[in-house]
């Protein structure tokens, strides 16, 4: 069963908040406790931009069981407008519509479900804009 607390925490877990070093300005996602650029330990929260473009991508034809209902799908490294890079699935697009340079936007979606998972899991995916 899903608890009310679990529901309340979902937006906090997935609201794409990064840590910006107050010493050198480097943005870390996910946030770190020590800056890998300058060794600083002070950060301020920075909301990541939702838009970016595909740096590289690959089509997954034979996924793990919990993603089987979504195959084939594209996994991409996306560079956001502020230069932060992250890996995510590209949703709602046939693999031949996604390539290097494709402009995408991060959205909140169901990630996976299946017999092994008691609850649906949610997080961010990219969609073509
Ligand atoms: Zn720093």
């Amino acid at each position: 069963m899903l608890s009310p607390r679990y529901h309340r925490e979902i937006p906090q877990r997935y609201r794409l908040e990064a840590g910006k070093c107050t010493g050198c300005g480097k943005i870390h996602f996910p946030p770190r406790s020590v800056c890998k650029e300058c060794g600083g330990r002070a950060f301020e929260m920075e909301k990541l931009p939702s838009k970016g473009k595909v740096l590289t991508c690959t089509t997954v034809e034979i996924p793990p069981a919990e993603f089987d209902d979504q195959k084939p799908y594209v996994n991409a490294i996306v560079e956001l407008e502020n230069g932060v890079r992250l890996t995510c699935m590209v949703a709602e697009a046939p693999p031949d519509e996604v390539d290097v340079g494709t402009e995408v936007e991060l959205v909140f979606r169901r990630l996976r479900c299946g017999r092994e998972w008691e609850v649906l899991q949610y997080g961010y995916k990219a969609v073509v804009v």
Side-chain angles (χ1 to χ4, degrees), residues 3-58:
S3 70
R5 182 178 169 187
Y6 180 89
H7 275 291
R8 279 200 308 271
E9 287 179 347
I10 287 174
Q12 295 169 334
R13 290 179 192 168
Y14 298 118
R15 59 192 173 192
L16 292 173
E17 288 176 356
K20 182 176 183 180
C21 176
T22 58
C24 72
K26 174 80 176 175
I27 299 170
H28 299 282
F29 182 77
R32 300 166 56 99
S33 55
V34 178
C35 178
K36 65 180 179 184
E37 290 293 310
C38 73
R41 293 174 179 267
F43 296 88
E44 55 190 25
M45 187 276 288
E46 172 135 331
K47 181 94 168 66
L48 292 178
S50 61
K51 291 186 176 174
K53 62 184 177 184
V54 173
L55 275 189
T56 185
C57 58
T58 186

Side-chain angles (χ1 to χ4, degrees), residues 15 22 26 30-31 39 47 68 70 72 76 79 88 90 97 102 104 106 114 129:
R15 59 192 173 192
T22 58
K26 174 80 176 175
K47 181 94 168 66
D68 199 58
Q70 300 178 73
E79 185 174 81
C88 62
V90 181
E97 287 185 12
T102 299
V104 294
L106 299 181
V129 292

